Amino acid sequence: GGSNTVLMTIRVANMLAEDAILPVRDGATMGGFNVIDIIIKDGVKVYGLARNFDGCSALPHGADCKAEINTAVAGAPAPVAGATRITLFSAQFWDHALDGVEAAQAKGAAWLHTKVAFLVQVSTWDIYCAGMKVKWCPRPELSDESLSDKDAMALFNNAMTPVLDKLQALCAPGQPAGILGCVVTTTTFQNPARSRIPIYEAYNNAIRSAMSSRSSETLRLVDLWVMGQAMP
């Protein structure tokens, strides 16, 4: 996912091992990495990789970028008893998330025979780009004023569908993530201006709708937008 997923990952990793992921050292900021991969055992980080590839950007990944990400994922040591692996992919858009899931599936090797889980959160950059038309959007075609809200939502849904379909298969009982399960989330509540709330909710509703027919005991929707509004 994007920045909120980065924050969640840093928090979890550093709960398991001191300084497991540090934003400056590891480039764990938006635009600072493509993949961060760590292994923790007995409260200590025993393996760490942080890569920001020149051939990768916020645009759809090309073949060379995908190959570099796959190579990075494949380079992790084999699993051992008591070890926990956390792999974070920078995924500002759904096609990036699909590349990450496919990299884990294709290059996860023996780790896919352990207890695996996936967490995916994508929408904020579509909201900024297509919903708010910000000038600093890294995908100009989404912030183009000629792109209607209807067409932007169609692009969002079309990009989201293959990711959710793949997760539905990977997270089913008997499959790699069928024990721990998987989570898809809405965008994190950010207390935006009242006028912008309908934009956020339009994309949240698209995710809720897509998940309504896919949710199960092992593939769940966590509505961080609603949960965040309960915070003081």
Side-chain angles (χ1 to χ4, degrees):
S3 58
N4 289 305
T5 309
V6 173
L7 293 174
M8 286 189 283
T9 304
I10 292 172
R11 179 64 60 87
V12 170
N14 291 344
M15 286 173 60
L16 297 175
E18 184 176 1
D19 295 342
I21 299 177
L22 296 178
V24 175
R25 183 193 67 198
D26 301 320
T29 58
M30 291 313 303
F33 76 99
N34 297 114
V35 58
I36 294 175
D37 200 10
I38 66 171
I39 297 174
I40 296 169
K41 187 176 186 298
D42 299 327
V44 177
K45 185 174 78 171
V46 296
Y47 170 80
L49 173 146
R51 293 287 186 272
N52 191 26
F53 301 112
D54 291 338
C56 300
S57 70
L59 299 175
H61 293 157
D64 290 345
C65 171
K66 293 180 183 180
E68 288 185 304
I69 292 173
N70 286 350
T71 298
V73 174
V80 296
T84 299
R85 181 180 182 183
I86 299 174
T87 307
L88 172 64
F89 298 98
S90 176
Q92 294 167 272
F93 300 95
W94 282 110
D95 51 275
H96 289 172
L98 182 63
D99 294 341
V101 173
E102 290 182 340
Q105 185 179 18
K107 300 299 181 179
W111 285 93
L112 291 176
H113 301 291
T114 65
K115 294 179 181 179
V116 179
F118 289 91
L119 184 150
V120 179
Q121 183 190 41
V122 175
S123 64
T124 302
W125 282 91
D126 285 275
I127 292 169
Y128 289 155
C129 290
M132 300 180 187
K133 305 295 185 184
V134 297
K135 293 182 179 180
W136 39 266
C137 171
R139 293 192 176 185
E141 70 277 11
L142 293 179
S143 59
D144 192 311
E145 293 292 345
S146 66
L147 181 68
S148 68
D149 291 341
K150 180 180 179 180
D151 289 343
M153 188 58 67
L155 291 174
F156 182 80
N157 283 315
N158 289 340
M160 173 171 55
T161 296
V163 181
L164 299 188
D165 287 346
K166 188 167 285 290
L167 288 177
Q168 192 170 19
L170 283 170
C171 307
Q175 297 304 310
I179 295 177
L180 295 180
C182 305
V183 166
V184 176
T185 83
T186 57
T187 193
T188 304
F189 185 70
Q190 302 170 28
N191 195 26
R194 189 180 298 271
S195 62
R196 292 181 173 180
I197 289 178
I199 302 173
Y200 283 88
E201 279 291 53
Y203 284 86
N204 287 333
N205 284 334
I207 296 169
R208 292 171 186 137
S209 177
M211 284 295 294
S212 64
S213 61
R214 294 179 172 89
S215 293
S216 67
E217 290 187 357
T218 54
L219 176 59
R220 303 194 179 207
L221 172 69
V222 174
D223 200 328
L224 295 180
W225 180 262
V226 172
M227 292 173 62
Q229 293 179 65
M231 296 175 63

